[in-house]
Amino acid sequence: MKKTSSSTGLVYSTGAGRMCPQCRQPLASCRCGAPALPQGDGVVRVSRSTQGRGGKTVTVVRGVLLLPEPLAAMGKQLKAVCGTGGTVKDGVIEIQGDHVERVMAWLQKAGHTVRRAGG
């Protein structure tokens, strides 16, 4: 019977506990499963959209180069600033209503390079 590389890897160490099968480091210090930062040009684009929302307007923020957790926190702050609801999915922040100017001002104050996208 032929052994594969996954069956010969160290799974548990008494000194460190569970081990990552790819990098063979303790799971607490494993970096191979960590999500990479999103790629982009560093410009945050803010637009208004009604497409696919039954005529309802949302403000869409794209291009923020953050990991999912900090991006969700930014989305929460933007919702509080605008006093409305919204969501964060697939690296895009959606804020209910037309708040393009308010969102752009907040992002610029936070130190981001911001451009208005769309018409």
Side-chain angles (χ1 to χ4, degrees), residues 22-80:
Q22 293 175 342
C23 64
R24 301 190 185 213
Q25 297 294 320
L27 284 180
S29 61
C30 173
R31 303 279 301 159
C32 61
L37 278 174
Q39 298 296 316
D41 59 359
V43 177
V44 178
R45 289 173 172 78
V46 181
S47 63
R48 191 183 63 156
S49 175
T50 58
Q51 218 167 9
R53 295 175 177 89
K56 305 287 184 180
T57 302
V58 295
T59 302
V60 180
V61 181
R62 299 178 192 275
V64 181
L65 302 179
L66 293 175
L67 292 174
E69 292 83 20
L71 187 66
M74 177 183 278
K76 187 173 182 178
Q77 291 172 336
L78 283 172
K79 290 188 294 183

Side-chain angles (χ1 to χ4, degrees), residues 44 46 59 61 64-66 69-83 88 93 95 99-115:
V44 178
V46 181
T59 302
V61 181
V64 181
L65 302 179
L66 293 175
E69 292 83 20
L71 187 66
M74 177 183 278
K76 187 173 182 178
Q77 291 172 336
L78 283 172
K79 290 188 294 183
V81 166
C82 297
V88 178
I93 301 172
I95 305 294
H99 301 285
V100 174
E101 298 301 325
R102 187 176 296 166
V103 168
M104 286 179 64
W106 188 86
L107 288 168
Q108 286 173 344
K109 197 182 300 182
H112 295 278
T113 304
V114 183
R115 288 199 184 136

